[in-house]
Amino acid sequence: MSYIGTKPVDFNDVTEAQTFGVTGDLTISDKVIHSGDTNTAIRFAAADTVTVETGGSEAFRIDSSQNVGIGTTPASGVRLDMRSDAAANIADLRN
């Protein structure tokens, strides 16, 4: 299935076995959810903010200042903020 146009279209009749292509912008009001894993999503949580949720909890955030939070909302002015409640290593960087 393919749609080319500027008017809103309702895809409620598209089954999981079908695909569709979009030419131009695709507007999504809140999130993209996989049909077989509904507690995992890519969200547009606020203006200029993108989040990834796994297991129903936010796992990753990029805010409007391009700050990144993994396991947390990034602190103001912190480009990469990683936190974990687990008693494990937070990061392992290798060459």
Side-chain angles (χ1 to χ4, degrees), residues 27-62:
T27 302
I28 299 171
S29 62
D30 183 30
K31 58 187 166 183
V32 177
I33 303 171
H34 185 275
S35 62
D37 188 11
T38 58
N39 66 355
T40 299
I42 300 169
R43 292 198 60 209
F44 306 95
D48 303 320
T49 300
V50 178
T51 66
V52 175
E53 295 177 359
T54 59
S57 297
E58 184 176 305
F60 184 87
R61 172 180 289 251
I62 302 174

Side-chain angles (χ1 to χ4, degrees), residues 89-94:
N89 293 335
I90 292 177
D92 188 0
L93 305 174
R94 298 177 186 209

Side-chain angles (χ1 to χ4, degrees), residues 5-91:
T6 57
K7 294 182 180 181
V9 65
D10 184 353
F11 286 105
N12 286 327
D13 294 328
V14 176
T15 66
E16 295 175 26
Q18 295 174 311
T19 61
F20 65 94
V22 177
T23 300
D25 294 342
L26 176 63
T27 302
I28 299 171
S29 62
D30 183 30
K31 58 187 166 183
V32 177
I33 303 171
H34 185 275
S35 62
D37 188 11
T38 58
N39 66 355
T40 299
I42 300 169
R43 292 198 60 209
F44 306 95
D48 303 320
T49 300
V50 178
T51 66
V52 175
E53 295 177 359
T54 59
S57 297
E58 184 176 305
F60 184 87
R61 172 180 289 251
I62 302 174
D63 69 15
S64 60
S65 298
Q66 293 81 46
N67 297 323
V68 176
I70 301 173
T72 187
T73 298
S76 180
V78 177
R79 280 300 204 199
L80 178 60
D81 195 348
M82 296 185 296
R83 307 215 184 160
S84 174
D85 292 334
N89 293 335
I90 292 177

